[in-house]
Amino acid sequence: MLAMRQVLQLVLYVGIGIFMQNRKMVGLDFDRQLNTLYSDIVLPCMIFNSLQMDFDPADLKNCALLLLLSVGYLLLSALLGQLCYRRIGGDMGRIVRFGTIFTNFTLMGFPLIESLYGSHTLFYFVVFLIPLRMIFYSGAKVLLSPPELTHPHTTWGQKVKNYFSPPMVAVFVGLAFYLLQWRLPWVLGDVVSGLGSTSSVLGMLTCGLVLGKQPLKQLLRPRYVLVSALRLLLLPGFFFLLLAPLPIDDELRKVVVMCAALPIASLTASFTLRYNKNPDAQFDAAGSVLVSHLLCILTIPIWTTLLG
């Protein structure tokens, strides 16, 4: 019930964005402007704030294991995603590949993990996501852009700028603050926390604004359902069976499987909007995101039950 409630809340945010766009309450370029605010300001604040917790040396062993699990998770997901891309090809293939590798671990994963399993498991979830985030923010352009936009004729400075995006910088700075147990001055800390708390709303509103530009009835395409089934059933099932015989803590197993069980990353729509000018690709990305979130209302309770 808790998982279903959380999912429904996020889907309703998408619906509000669709309503705003359909009623012409915002300009046609507002989704891009909101996406810039979200990607460059709100998201870095949320990432930094999630790493502000007490350091416990007893957790170092599990943290090291989580980083190894994260790298293995990333490699296996990338392999499956690349196989899907070779099978499908084109813009939709790139969207499926990105959606296979990356889930909505930020907008949905954080509140869901904390609500279901508590703050300690949430800390493990943050550690597990460090390698994923490094690829997520730095590799989105390569994974989602058409080939002509990923041509290697870019300067070294441009490559560095693409990698050290505001969200990626927030990961490094937040990790340094965590290890050194530094804290921001209370006024600045409250501002960062306040901005970060709007992440879920703004991310899903952006998705809805993109969807609102297209006839909503076109969203119920079979390929979106197939992509969602891959994301919500096949991948978490694969990792559930893979980790079952391993002698690791149940808490770590929950982190990995629940990360795999989350719907397609909501930023898939935002990144496609930024890196691919094809309106059909933007609609496919937004449609895949929305359908996966709708269907996870049914699938996430299944995985939480199996995990205990």
Side-chain angles (χ1 to χ4, degrees), residues 32-44 195 202:
R32 294 183 182 275
Q33 297 168 353
L34 185 63
N35 185 53
T36 299
L37 169 66
Y38 176 78
S39 300
D40 295 349
I41 302 295
V42 173
L43 189 58
L195 286 170
L202 291 184

Side-chain angles (χ1 to χ4, degrees), residues 13-22 25-35 202-214 273 286:
Y13 288 143
V14 177
I16 293 172
I18 293 172
F19 176 79
M20 291 172 62
Q21 191 69 263
N22 286 336
M25 298 171 65
V26 296
L28 290 176
D29 201 42
F30 182 72
D31 54 347
R32 294 183 182 275
Q33 297 168 353
L34 185 63
N35 185 53
L202 291 184
M204 301 310 283
L205 279 177
T206 301
C207 182
L209 290 169
V210 173
L211 289 170
K213 291 183 175 181
Q214 301 289 341
L273 185 68

Side-chain angles (χ1 to χ4, degrees), residues 46 50-51 53 59 62-63 66-67 70 73 102-115 117-133 251-263:
M46 188 280 301
S50 68
L51 290 166
M53 58 189 70
D59 285 327
N62 278 340
C63 288
L66 276 169
L67 291 175
S70 180
Y73 173 96
F102 301 110
T103 61
N104 192 351
F105 47 71
T106 296
L107 301 181
M108 189 172 176
F110 275 84
L112 194 63
I113 293 295
E114 185 176 26
S115 299
Y117 304 121
S119 59
H120 192 258
T121 305
L122 178 63
F123 165 72
Y124 282 158
F125 190 63
V126 171
V127 174
F128 177 77
L129 293 179
I130 290 174
L132 290 169
R133 275 183 169 148
E251 204 170 5
L252 306 188
R253 186 177 292 105
K254 289 175 181 177
V255 166
V256 178
V257 176
M258 285 306 298
C259 182
L262 294 169

Side-chain angles (χ1 to χ4, degrees), residues 15 45 48 66 73 77 87 91-92 135 142 157 175 186 189 192 212 225 230-231 234 253 289 303:
C45 289
F48 178 86
L66 276 169
Y73 173 96
S77 298
R87 177 72 176 177
D91 290 329
M92 191 62 195
I135 304 300
V142 175
L175 187 59
W186 67 270
V192 171
V225 177
L230 170 67
R231 173 70 274 166
L234 180 61
R253 186 177 292 105
V289 168
W303 294 114

Side-chain angles (χ1 to χ4, degrees), residues 14 23 43 63 65 78 81 87 115 121 138 155 158 211 216 232 260 278 284 289 299 308:
V14 177
R23 300 290 294 179
L43 189 58
C63 288
L65 180 56
R87 177 72 176 177
S115 299
T121 305
S138 61
T155 65
Q158 289 173 326
L211 289 170
L216 196 57
L232 301 173
N278 183 357
D284 282 338
V289 168
T299 58

